[in-house]
């Protein structure tokens, strides 16, 4: 935690008047279609996945598709794909 003030209030593990920063946020590939595809793959189906995939951040999606053996039929579009 960085920064503090004389008026900070602490209660158990929660403290106000401080800023907490993270260095890296994990990215989770999700979405109704990807979630359903993963369940179907777990049940033994071979899949082709498609939709629109942002050109600014395809790496995690492409890694998931490769790892799960999905045929990638996504259309690349400009911008970033939302991730959780």
């Amino acid at each position: 935690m960085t920064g503090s003030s004389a008026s900070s209030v602490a209660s158990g593990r929660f403290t106000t008047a401080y800023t907490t920063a993270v260095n890296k946020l994990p990215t989770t590939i999700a979405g109704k279609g990807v979630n359903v595809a993963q369940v179907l793959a777990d049940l033994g189906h071979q899949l082709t996945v498609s939709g629109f995939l942002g050109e600014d951040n395809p790496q995690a999606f492409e890694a998931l598709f490769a790892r799960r053996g999905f045929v990638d039929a996504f259309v690349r579009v400009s911008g970033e794909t939302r991730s959780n």
Side-chain angles (χ1 to χ4, degrees):
M1 292 189 285
T2 60
S4 65
S5 76
S7 63
S8 294
V9 176
S11 172
R13 292 173 47 96
F14 178 78
T15 304
T16 62
Y18 288 95
T19 301
T20 302
V22 295
N23 293 328
K24 184 177 179 182
L25 292 174
T27 300
T28 303
I29 304 308
K32 291 180 285 297
V34 171
N35 293 343
V36 170
Q38 292 197 76
V39 170
L40 291 172
D42 290 344
L43 294 172
H45 296 276
Q46 295 180 349
L47 299 156
T48 297
V49 291
S50 67
F52 298 102
L53 184 61
E55 293 174 333
D56 291 350
N57 66 331
Q59 299 84 1
F61 292 88
E62 292 168 344
L64 172 71
F65 302 158
R67 186 172 62 250
R68 298 303 305 259
F70 298 161
V71 175
D72 178 359
F74 272 80
V75 175
R76 286 1 185 224
V77 296
S78 63
E80 185 173 299
T81 301
R82 182 179 68 104
S83 59
N84 299 329

